[in-house]
Amino acid sequence: MAIDLLEVTTPGLVYICLGGFVVAFSMFSLLVKETLYINEVVLGTAFGIAIGPHGANIFDPRSWDASTTFMTREITRIVLATGLFAIGVELPKSYMAKHGKSLFVMVVPTMAIGWVIVAGALFGLFPKLSFHSCLAISACLTPTDPIICAAIVGGKYARRHVPLNLRHILSAESAANDGLAYPFLTISIYLIVDKNKQEAVAHWVLVGWFYQVIIGIVIGAIMGLMFSHLMKFSQQRGFIDRESYLAQYLALAIFIAGVVSTIGSDDLLAAFAAGSAISWDGEFNDHTEGEAFASIIELVLNCACFMYIGAWLPFEAFNSPDVGITPWQLVILFFIILTLRRIPAILILYRWIPEIRTWREALFSGHFGPMGVGAIFISSLALHKLPTAHNPPRNEQELLAASLEPVVAFIVLCSIIIHGLSIPFFSLGKATFSLTTIPSMSPDWTIGIQHTPTNASVSSSATTQTTSIPKVSSRALEEQWLQHEAGITASEEENARTVEENLVDI
């Protein structure tokens, strides 16, 4: 009887693996994340490989055949939309108004330079691909992944060694350039698909920029402001409880992504714009501060997504001589991307980005440009516009469709390993920055959770009386401390420079 009731299905095994991984990871999360500096991105991908077709073969996304690309696109879309919405919400109020110029300088030129450099490397390494095809693959590798970036800059090491303003600009950049990958991809696809260059450029301007990017930003910002006023109205009149207020964090991200993607516009930029608009005056942050709901949702979504990516990776396609792809070419390509995609551009441009103060911070910012969920999502959009590849490919479009996924998947895998494990290596040496270690305002396990304002008291050494300090949030305390330390650092650097000049004179 019991044997008849036993039903082993793929969904059931996936639920067991996902739930078991999150439970096991949570049990040792403080040790893994705050002592070993290894995040759920690396471990989730490794676990996905272990249970995937190249491991235990418990979960194989590619067994769905035609539905694989569709499922990959929609899973990554939801994870990216919630992640970008969260970044927009968690930035300081009116951040885009104050730092929009710096963000523009850091995003657009860096993406354009890296796009051309990577396309040139692809064209040199893979002679079967046309330059237009190389531009399309490069467009998928242009954006910085916000999920991996958030896991890196939001951890204990970054909070203690990376200046707050630099963490903010890196988070905002990772959110903005995911949506801005659309124009780079569309011009590449239109140059391949359309009949002539004039038609391709016209489609690129009207569709790639105006309809997708500009309309997407406008719709996201309007919806964000509208929902901000609606939530204020409901709360002031007691129409909404706290649990429902917090649920808006996830529901609004999914709703906005659904609306904007339905009309064919840029849903990623819309989600980021909506998050920034909702928290424009800081009131949404004030009401959600101290709640771990968003962090919990992001953890579960991130674990599920990177487990899926680990099982989805096409290892057998990394050696495909019939389309001109071999492992040694992919390895060389990754090292070119690692060194030339972002670092030279940011080292040149950081003088016009006030948030990046030194060349060391510019080098750090250039290095931490991971590729992950965003690259896979953009590549799935490209495959949606291309015909199904035959074996062997019959034309340029089919050759691009056959080459796109293996190249992007290999670079994503290497990026997860290198960028995900960079912090553990950094922690073994000296601090990356001259900034002094920030004293912890709370236990290590609370890092990543927004804290409620607390009353503080300071005992005077001269008297036993206690002086009450006004309520302030942990974010405000951290900003004040970093501003104080930045002043000390600047003074120390100036003194060191003076001493060096005197030694040169002697």
Side-chain angles (χ1 to χ4, degrees), residues 468-480:
S468 178
I469 296 179
K471 290 184 178 181
V472 290
S473 67
S474 60
R475 181 180 295 178
L477 285 172
E478 187 177 10
E479 288 179 355
Q480 292 173 9

Side-chain angles (χ1 to χ4, degrees), residues 475-497:
R475 181 180 295 178
L477 285 172
E478 187 177 10
E479 288 179 355
Q480 292 173 9
W481 177 267
L482 288 171
Q483 289 172 1
H484 168 69
E485 288 296 322
I488 293 176
T489 301
S491 176
E492 290 176 349
E493 289 178 351
E494 182 64 29
N495 292 337
R497 204 159 33 244

Side-chain angles (χ1 to χ4, degrees), residues 2 42 53 71 87 94 99 144 147 209 226 239 253 284 298 325 327 358 364 370 374 395 414 416 434 442 456 472 501:
V42 177
M71 289 299 299
I87 290 174
S94 305
H99 302 269
T144 300
I147 310 303
W209 277 105
M226 181 179 68
F239 296 160
F284 187 82
E298 288 175 18
I325 296 176
T358 67
F364 178 86
N395 52 42
C414 293
I416 290 173
S434 58
S442 55
V472 290
E501 291 172 357

Side-chain angles (χ1 to χ4, degrees), residues 15-29:
Y15 301 150
I16 292 172
C17 292
L18 175 59
F21 174 78
V22 175
V23 168
F25 177 76
S26 302
M27 290 292 181
F28 302 97
S29 60

